[in-house]
Amino acid sequence: ELLYNGRQVLNELEIKNKSLEKLTKELSCDKEYMQEENLKIKNNIIERLETKNKTLEKEIKQLSCDKEAIQAENIKTKEDLDDKCEQMVMLKMRKLQKSSELNILQ
């Protein structure tokens, strides 16, 4: 009976051992699958970030061009205003001069 019980325990342990081996194999496959999935997700995120980065670089470049154009336009506008002010001053001076000449003549 002791031998019988020993064999029964041995059979149960072999069954549990095979079950554990199967479970270990499944877990190993799951681990590999999860690593592959994680790599895919990581690569996808990197790709999306690189695309977004390129888009932002283009937008920055465009904004820089826009800024330069606006600055050039501001300089032109300031020069135009300076010219108009100078013309108005000259016109006022001529009017004052004519007014003075008229006063002298009278």
Side-chain angles (χ1 to χ4, degrees):
E1 190 177 322
L2 191 57
L3 188 58
Y4 173 78
N5 285 341
R7 283 188 182 148
Q8 194 174 1
V9 169
L10 185 60
N11 284 341
E12 288 174 10
L13 286 174
E14 285 177 357
I15 291 169
K16 286 183 181 181
N17 190 33
K18 286 180 182 178
S19 177
L20 287 173
E21 285 175 355
K22 183 180 176 186
L23 183 58
T24 301
K25 187 176 181 181
E26 289 174 4
L27 287 173
S28 178
C29 290
D30 286 350
K31 179 183 174 187
E32 288 176 22
Y33 173 78
M34 292 304 289
Q35 286 174 334
E36 289 173 9
E37 288 300 305
N38 283 342
L39 185 60
K40 287 178 187 175
I41 291 169
K42 179 182 172 184
N43 288 338
N44 182 278
I45 290 170
I46 289 170
E47 186 178 319
R48 288 180 14 222
L49 287 172
E50 287 174 346
T51 301
K52 183 67 175 173
N53 193 31
K54 287 177 185 175
T55 301
L56 289 172
E57 285 173 354
K58 287 179 184 176
E59 288 177 10
I60 288 169
K61 188 174 181 179
Q62 182 60 49
L63 288 171
S64 178
C65 291
D66 292 350
K67 178 184 173 188
E68 290 174 14
I70 289 169
Q71 286 174 332
E73 188 177 321
N74 286 346
I75 290 170
K76 175 84 170 92
T77 301
K78 184 185 179 308
E79 290 171 352
D80 289 348
L81 286 173
D82 288 347
D83 288 346
K84 286 182 181 176
C85 284
E86 191 175 324
Q87 289 171 3
M88 288 176 69
V89 167
M90 295 298 280
L91 191 65
K92 286 270 188 192
M93 287 176 64
R94 283 189 203 126
K95 283 182 179 179
L96 282 173
Q97 189 177 12
K98 284 182 181 179
S99 176
S100 292
E101 290 172 359
L102 283 175
N103 285 340
I104 291 171
L105 290 174
Q106 288 176 351

